Amino acid sequence: MSKKTAIQVDDLTVAYNYKPVLWDIDLAVPEGVLMAIVGPNGAGKSTLIKSILGIIKPIAGSVAIYNKPYEKQRKLVAYVPQKGSVDWDFPTTAIDVVMMGTYGSLGWIKRPGQKEKKAALEALEKVGMLSFKNRQISQLSGGQQQRVFLARALVQNASIYFMDEPFQGVDATTEIAIINILKELRKAGKTVVVVHHDLQTVPEYFDWVTFLNVKKIATGPVKDIFNDDNLTKTYGINYKVAVNK
Amino acid sequence: MSITEYFELVFTDYTLRTITLGTAILGAICGMLGSFAVLRKQSLLGDAISHAALPGIAIAFLITGAKDSNILLLGALVSGVLGTFWIRGMITKTHLKSDTALGLILSLFFGFGMLLLTFIQKQPNANQAGLDKYLFGQAATLVEKDVYLMAIVTGACLVVLLLFWKEFKLLLFDADYTKTLGFNTRFIDILITFFIVLAIVLGLQTVGVVLMSAMLLAPAAAARQWTNKLSVMIVLAGVFGIFSGVFGTAISATQNNLSTGPVIVLVAAVFVLFSFVFSPARGLLFREIRFRKNRRDLKLKKTLQLMYGIVSKHEDISRPHAIKILNDFQGFTRNTLGKLEEKNWIEIKGQEWSMTPQGFNEAKDLYNQQKDND
Amino acid sequence: MTSPQIEIQLIAAIVAIACAIPGVFLVLRKMALISDAISHSILPGIVIGFFITEDLNSPLLILLAAVTGVITVILVEAIQKTGLVKEDTAIGLVFPALFSIGVIMIAKNANDVHLDVDAVLLGELAFAPFDRLLLFGADVGPKSIWVMGVILLVTLGLLFLFFKELKVSTFDAGLSSALGISPVIMHYGLMSISSVTVVGAFDAVGAILVVALMIAPAATAYLLTSDLKKMLVLSICFGVFSAIGGYWLANILDASISGSMTTVLGVVFLITYLFAPSKGLISVLYRQKQQRTEVSLITFLLHLNNHSEEQERHINHLQEHINWQKVRSKNVIDLALKNNMIAIENDVVALTEKGLTFTNLALEYIVTNKDEKIEHMKDDFFLFRG
């Protein structure tokens, strides 16, 4: 494949309170793939994307986005955090949350205007939430909340999307809607990295996969490396039990 | 003095005007900044900070010997900030949890402050009168200069709030995301915390160390119940704060022997109680009403669905059926039947009922919804 | 020492012990702030009790006020349950409101009630010896000693009786219900004892300083040990030490006794906070620095283990790729060399036999999530630590 490398991670090591979480991760993600990060609980999946995004400071290693340090390429990157990471009782509406996606390009102090509002409405429409735009966020279902989060990332109009367990606690309709949008993004040449839990859907949803358990076990096209061998290496001998749990 | 007299005098009498203006401004700034504290789950930080400010006041007095309230407040600010940082340090560096850290700073700083205050009292020529007011607050001691200071700080706070509105909102809602957008979260965080400490310190003279935290929380907690918009919440909290301040001052001015602080806090508590019960969207009263109505609706829908089951077995949906055959089903009463007719879902003729097309569609929707959920 | 002096110290010591015991459990259960809430909100209970009994040391008053304390807890929990506000906001709303009611009640009845808000809030230990308990006409000592003594005995009795249950329900609520120990009963039992203690102690040391006597000794002890029994003993020691030390400090400065006691508590806490072995600030900072180097070392060794290419193992690579400063890379390499983990040939680093064994073992532990074993490994392998 002669594609460009979208994300390059070198020797990334992270420790929480000096407890090892990620060790010496090398990772190169080519442009235009839809990649799942899989691994057992506590394998450091969320930590990996958080440290790529600079939310967690690694103790060693470096991250490059399109061959430049992440700090210089922030605008190329969008992030969808875990749904549970925020307080959904916060007094704000769906459209307000989506508008937050435009704050990064606005920079300090400048307020969003008509242009930003239009972008936010478009994003809401894309995720099928336009009719809920003025709904208070606590009155949305889990799936709808996740869609609002996705819309917020879409508004950023980035080249690379990081998503932390977007399918957790959402209904089947939302899951399909989200994966269709992700596939659309891939078609448009964007790179999408998803922390994923459900091993059964990996071959159906994704074309690229990274196995992670504190160390990187394997990374590559799903059709080449999504096999028993790697699953066993990641999840241990009883991985099937883990899968069906 | 009666309440009506108070309101007649408030525009003409210098002292009354000053203290009323002072408590009103204080209510406004506390309400606004309190909204941030409540939304950041730092409600009790205010309590810790206000207690932690006490030794600062005493030390400032010991050093300068002055009674100038600005210098004393500066001392309070320094020790309040110190307490805040120590709390943070304790939580991040040791295994003590936030509740222990808050309780420690609160009680230890306060105790040390008390030691200093009693020490000052025993000093021979110390003109210490007026330091006690920081315990419960005495709005009557406010002078024009204090009110100017409050107004200036509130003004500055408003400017900062408007300038960094977008950043504040973003950080309050989703701190990690704020970081990925390239904002310096530490700066925004320190800015918010600094203004909260400032508001608390300003309120000490009026409301006092012990009750200051309620001044911060109550208007915000009340305002939260009436709106789902952050901007409206903050404005509303400011308004509630102003009213608590003015009413509290009015009541305490008209009674002998009442400190302002407790009265203001009680007025604010009444706002909270009222909001908890009567807010249309979140209040307990309407929640209960909605709950009952839902239960009733559920009963109706259940009956309608059973009727649908009967009707759909026949070609002609409007074919009448005997009411008797419904008796075997749960959730059916004459009353529900009447309600169904009211909604135009069925028609009743004598001892028979028949479904209207409208009722049939409604029932079909219900049926499909249920299938989706399964 | 005069006899009132001895009596004051005795009262202070008893109060300190009676507060320290429930305090330990409050701190461990992350409910330290409930003591703050209770200590304020008992005020209306005290005032009503005082209307009825006209005696601050009457058992009825203590009971009434303690009930107010438990009501506070129930009220806070009820508000939390509505979900209208966050947990801590509920605490912050309830106690100032109740306290304000108490203050206003006192102010409105100032002529009938010889009760001073300052006294409730701050206490006055110096007067305690003058309120004597007369039994059959004989003077058997200050009332406070008897009141607090009884409270302390009850607390101790309950502690010994229910030690096991308290321990289980504090550390593992799930297990405790499985064992048939109702966490709810333990919770409200503890709340009741705390309320009674706060009420009994407020007139000696004041409402806010009761909080200090409850939380500070326990928090100080918690920095020194995690063992429940040791923690209880240590808290009691700190409490008593501060009580007596505080008394003498107050004597020297001619200042409030309760304020001095808290100040001594504060100093004891500060010293422990800074210097406690393993959990104190200095020790934590030192260990973090050391661990940083150690983690860096393991990272470095793992990196060598992962890559056979010479280019990845070149000494300059450390700075470029692993993103470390020059000094740090040098430190790490020095440490590895000192420990015989690596060998350097032509600026290319390679793992030695020992390094390889170490790395493989470390890897196994990390992947199988047995992080704690790495500590032992470090002891086994490291001659020099960072």
Side-chain angles (χ1 to χ4, degrees):
Chain A
M1 229 184 282
S2 61
K3 274 184 178 168
K4 280 191 280 184
T5 306
I7 310 158
Q8 174 83 44
V9 176
D10 282 310
D11 311 318
L12 191 75
T13 297
V14 179
Y16 270 137
N17 293 325
Y18 301 89
K19 224 181 120 189
V21 187
L22 287 177
W23 286 88
D24 209 38
I25 308 282
D26 291 309
L27 193 64
V29 183
E31 185 181 44
V33 300
L34 183 45
M35 181 176 95
I37 302 176
V38 296
N41 285 334
K45 303 184 292 285
S46 296
T47 310
L48 176 59
I49 60 175
K50 279 187 185 163
S51 47
I52 291 175
L53 292 165
I55 298 169
I56 295 171
K57 217 177 151 229
I59 53 170
S62 56
V63 175
I65 304 291
Y66 286 110
N67 293 322
K68 282 189 195 142
Y70 164 72
E71 286 74 23
K72 291 193 177 140
Q73 303 278 57
R74 253 183 230 282
K75 297 214 164 113
L76 298 179
V77 177
Y79 171 50
V80 180
Q82 255 180 49
K83 192 157 62 62
S85 67
V86 301
D87 169 21
W88 287 97
D89 195 34
F90 193 81
T92 190
T93 52
I95 178 96
D96 259 0
V97 172
V98 178
M99 294 266 263
M100 288 176 186
T102 65
Y103 289 6
S105 54
L106 284 170
W108 289 92
I109 295 173
K110 220 176 135 206
R111 297 290 188 87
Q114 282 308 313
K115 198 179 108 212
E116 282 76 21
K117 182 148 192 197
K118 211 176 128 237
L121 289 172
E122 275 167 19
L124 271 173
E125 176 148 38
K126 214 177 268 174
V127 299
M129 289 287 295
L130 195 56
S131 51
F132 294 94
K133 64 176 181 190
N134 290 325
R135 191 70 80 84
Q136 208 272 322
I137 49 172
S138 69
Q139 286 155 10
L140 300 171
S141 73
Q144 290 168 334
Q145 290 173 345
Q146 190 66 61
R147 290 183 200 207
V148 169
F149 257 19
L150 178 59
R152 182 175 73 170
L154 290 177
V155 156
Q156 285 181 256
N157 204 5
S159 309
I160 304 174
Y161 291 81
F162 288 94
M163 308 182 73
D164 203 342
E165 307 220 11
F167 304 120
Q168 199 171 49
V170 306
D171 51 293
T173 331
T174 301
E175 181 156 342
I176 294 164
I178 291 177
I179 199 67
N180 284 339
I181 291 170
L182 298 190
K183 284 179 175 165
E184 244 171 65
L185 286 172
R186 177 179 55 190
K187 217 183 272 169
K190 318 269 185 184
T191 313
V192 184
V193 176
V194 178
V195 170
H196 194 56
H197 236 108
D198 181 11
L199 288 174
Q200 269 143 3
T201 52
V202 169
E204 185 189 334
Y205 290 173
F206 301 94
D207 57 2
W208 210 264
V209 66
T210 294
F211 288 95
L212 190 74
N213 188 2
V214 185
K215 281 187 59 178
K216 183 191 76 186
I217 312 290
T219 184
V222 170
K223 59 180 186 328
D224 298 342
I225 67 158
F226 194 73
N227 51 35
D228 276 4
D229 184 35
N230 280 326
L231 283 166
T232 315
K233 271 192 210 154
T234 313
Y235 288 85
I237 305 160
N238 298 319
Y239 85 86
K240 286 203 167 108
V241 182
V243 174
N244 295 327
K245 195 165 53 180
Chain B
M1 182 167 44
S2 72
I3 293 272
T4 39
E5 267 179 296
Y6 166 83
F7 280 106
E8 276 162 20
L9 279 174
V10 79
F11 296 103
T12 50
D13 184 84
Y14 167 81
T15 325
L16 273 188
R17 199 178 54 212
T18 310
I19 46 182
T20 309
L21 212 58
T23 49
I25 294 175
L26 182 71
I29 188 173
C30 284
M32 293 188 311
L33 290 169
S35 307
F36 288 124
V38 167
L39 290 173
R40 306 184 76 188
K41 293 168 201 141
Q42 287 183 339
S43 298
L44 292 169
L45 186 66
D47 197 26
I49 295 172
S50 64
H51 284 74
L54 192 63
I57 294 173
I59 291 175
F61 179 83
L62 276 176
I63 294 175
T64 63
K67 238 176 42 180
D68 178 37
S69 60
N70 289 354
I71 290 173
L72 298 186
L73 290 187
L74 194 66
L77 187 66
V78 171
S79 89
V81 169
L82 200 73
T84 316
F85 280 110
W86 198 3
I87 290 170
R88 292 201 172 181
M90 234 187 278
I91 298 169
T92 51
K93 291 291 178 214
T94 71
H95 65 313
L96 296 176
K97 301 294 179 300
S98 69
D99 64 310
T100 309
L102 288 169
L104 271 173
I105 295 303
L106 181 157
S107 56
L108 294 180
F109 272 60
F110 184 83
F112 182 53
M114 282 319 301
L115 173 81
L116 293 174
L117 281 191
T118 46
F119 177 73
I120 290 170
Q121 272 166 13
K122 303 275 167 64
Q123 295 303 297
N125 53 3
N127 181 8
Q128 53 79 36
L131 284 189
D132 315 352
K133 74 183 175 204
Y134 290 103
L135 279 183
F136 293 111
Q138 205 42 268
T141 61
L142 283 177
V143 293
E144 213 164 55
K145 205 182 67 185
D146 299 323
V147 178
Y148 279 139
L149 181 70
M150 282 185 190
I152 290 168
V153 172
T154 310
C157 171
L158 268 176
V159 170
V160 170
L161 203 65
L162 286 172
L163 269 182
F164 295 103
W165 175 253
K166 176 178 103 231
E167 287 78 11
F168 283 162
K169 186 157 118 182
L170 193 58
L171 182 79
L172 286 177
F173 178 61
D174 194 342
D176 277 356
Y177 187 69
T178 311
K179 237 184 213 170
T180 68
L181 290 184
F183 291 102
N184 183 344
T185 48
R186 182 186 286 254
F187 171 72
I188 311 173
D189 180 50
I190 288 179
L191 205 59
I192 295 181
T193 312
F194 177 73
F195 270 100
I196 291 179
V197 177
L198 206 57
I200 289 170
V201 167
L202 274 184
L204 291 180
Q205 189 181 350
T206 317
V207 183
V209 164
V210 184
L211 294 169
M212 194 50 218
S213 67
M215 196 63 214
L216 211 57
L217 295 188
R224 175 68 190 91
Q225 312 310 323
W226 297 95
T227 174
N228 282 323
K229 257 182 94 98
L230 181 64
S231 50
V232 180
M233 172 177 168
I234 289 177
V235 171
L236 213 54
V239 172
F240 284 155
I242 292 174
F243 277 115
S244 310
V246 173
F247 286 145
T249 312
I251 295 169
S252 87
T254 51
Q255 310 274 327
N256 290 327
N257 237 335
L258 274 189
S259 301
T260 340
V263 187
I264 293 182
V265 167
L266 270 190
V267 174
V270 171
F271 276 116
V272 173
L273 199 65
F274 184 81
S275 309
F276 276 9
V277 178
F278 295 107
S279 131
R282 295 162 64 100
L284 296 175
L285 182 70
F286 289 92
R287 192 192 283 183
E288 182 67 25
I289 292 173
R290 266 196 306 276
F291 176 72
R292 296 225 168 137
K293 190 172 167 297
N294 273 344
R295 215 166 44 185
R296 252 196 342 258
D297 282 359
L298 209 69
K299 237 180 187 173
L300 275 186
K301 284 177 180 163
K302 224 163 141 190
T303 315
L304 187 70
Q305 253 177 323
L306 291 164
M307 292 171 148
Y308 176 76
I310 299 167
V311 170
S312 57
K313 286 193 191 104
H314 303 272
E315 283 282 309
D316 176 17
I317 56 159
S318 58
R319 201 194 116 151
H321 297 269
I323 288 177
K324 263 208 315 255
I325 60 169
L326 292 173
N327 283 351
D328 300 339
F329 300 115
Q330 288 175 333
F332 156 78
T333 59
R334 283 270 163 187
N335 199 359
T336 44
L337 223 51
K339 286 251 170 59
L340 284 170
E341 195 183 18
E342 241 169 65
K343 292 199 178 213
N344 235 344
W345 286 347
I346 59 166
E347 275 169 14
I348 300 180
K349 275 191 196 127
Q351 289 304 308
E352 289 192 320
W353 60 268
S354 60
M355 201 172 250
T356 62
Q358 205 185 335
F360 187 78
N361 286 337
E362 184 74 30
K364 204 161 109 186
D365 280 354
L366 278 177
Y367 180 73
N368 288 339
Q369 259 173 37
Q370 214 165 41
K371 237 175 45 185
D372 276 354
N373 289 343
D374 288 344
Chain C
M1 260 193 278
T2 61
S3 126
Q5 279 186 323
I6 295 174
E7 279 170 1
I8 289 176
Q9 289 176 64
L10 193 61
I11 297 170
I14 294 177
V15 170
I17 300 172
C19 288
I21 294 171
V24 167
F25 292 98
L26 290 177
V27 165
L28 287 175
R29 286 164 172 250
K30 306 183 190 77
M31 286 169 37
L33 283 170
I34 282 282
S35 66
D36 182 37
I38 292 177
S39 72
H40 285 82
S41 55
I42 53 168
L43 188 60
I46 292 174
V47 178
I48 295 173
F50 193 78
F51 282 151
I52 301 171
T53 62
E54 309 229 317
D55 176 6
L56 274 181
N57 279 319
S58 133
L60 180 68
L61 178 137
I62 290 177
L63 208 67
L64 264 177
V67 169
T68 331
V70 177
I71 290 175
T72 311
V73 177
I74 295 172
L75 211 58
V76 167
E77 281 165 8
I79 293 181
Q80 285 172 358
K81 235 177 245 159
T82 64
L84 293 174
V85 289
K86 304 279 171 313
E87 311 82 60
D88 55 341
T89 311
I91 298 182
L93 287 174
V94 169
F95 81 81
L98 286 171
F99 186 77
S100 301
I101 292 176
V103 173
I104 289 171
M105 274 160 82
I106 293 178
K108 290 267 76 178
N109 299 285
N111 296 332
D112 311 320
V113 191
H114 301 286
L115 198 63
D116 187 355
V117 184
D118 285 16
V120 173
L121 211 56
L122 313 170
E124 196 35 274
L125 204 50
F127 299 148
F130 302 114
D131 192 6
R132 316 292 297 186
L133 181 68
L134 299 174
L135 221 54
F136 308 113
D139 180 355
V140 287
K143 266 188 191 169
S144 306
I145 289 193
W146 288 95
V147 170
M148 277 321 290
V150 171
I151 293 175
L152 175 60
L153 281 180
V154 172
T155 309
L156 278 174
L158 289 171
L159 178 69
F160 282 118
L161 275 176
F162 298 108
F163 184 76
K164 194 179 76 236
E165 285 82 356
L166 269 168
K167 190 173 171 178
V168 174
S169 69
T170 300
F171 290 104
D172 191 341
L175 177 66
S176 107
S177 6
L179 290 175
I181 306 162
S182 157
V184 179
I185 293 181
M186 296 319 284
H187 173 70
Y188 280 103
L190 184 63
M191 289 298 113
S192 310
I193 285 291
S194 307
S195 294
V196 172
T197 312
V198 170
V199 181
F202 86 90
D203 114 87
V205 292
I208 296 181
L209 305 182
V210 171
V211 180
L213 277 178
M214 284 202 161
I215 303 177
T220 313
Y222 200 23
L223 287 175
L224 293 168
T225 177
S226 300
D227 180 286
L228 181 57
K229 274 183 194 157
K230 280 187 199 149
M231 209 177 139
L232 279 164
V233 172
L234 275 176
S235 317
I236 291 172
C237 292
F238 289 134
V240 172
F241 172 78
S242 313
I244 308 228
Y247 173 78
W248 288 106
L249 179 66
N251 231 352
I252 296 166
L253 293 177
D254 191 16
S256 136
I257 300 177
S258 47
S260 314
M261 278 165 64
T262 325
T263 305
V264 175
L265 273 176
V267 172
V268 170
F269 174 76
L270 182 64
I271 291 171
T272 318
Y273 171 71
L274 291 178
F275 302 110
S278 94
K279 284 174 187 164
L281 185 65
I282 291 173
S283 154
V284 166
L285 289 178
Y286 174 75
R287 195 172 56 244
Q288 280 185 350
K289 187 170 167 279
Q290 192 192 34
Q291 276 176 333
R292 227 177 131 84
T293 324
E294 282 174 9
V295 172
S296 305
L297 177 64
I298 300 180
T299 309
F300 173 55
L301 295 175
L302 274 173
H303 183 71
L304 293 176
N305 193 20
N306 262 354
H307 297 279
S308 46
E309 321 85 282
E310 283 207 348
Q311 169 221 342
E312 284 274 342
R313 293 192 282 120
H314 196 271
I315 209 156
N316 288 337
H317 166 79
L318 263 176
Q319 279 154 43
E320 281 167 27
H321 241 179
I322 305 193
N323 215 358
W324 284 345
Q325 304 292 322
K326 216 169 187 163
V327 187
R328 185 141 164 236
S329 342
K330 196 177 167 311
N331 280 342
V332 170
I333 294 181
D334 284 350
L335 193 64
L337 276 174
K338 260 195 214 163
N339 280 312
N340 274 331
M341 299 278 197
I342 54 166
I344 303 179
E345 217 170 294
N346 297 333
D347 279 355
V348 172
V349 190
L351 283 175
T352 60
E353 192 93 349
K354 185 184 168 198
L356 202 63
T357 333
F358 175 82
T359 317
N360 284 332
L361 213 57
L363 207 58
E364 196 191 316
Y365 288 147
I366 291 161
V367 174
T368 52
N369 262 329
K370 287 179 191 146
D371 311 317
E372 67 284 352
K373 294 215 174 154
I374 293 177
E375 274 309 309
H376 301 294
M377 257 175 56
K378 286 182 195 158
D379 295 336
D380 295 345
F381 280 86
F382 288 4
L383 294 171
F384 306 95
R385 301 183 81 155

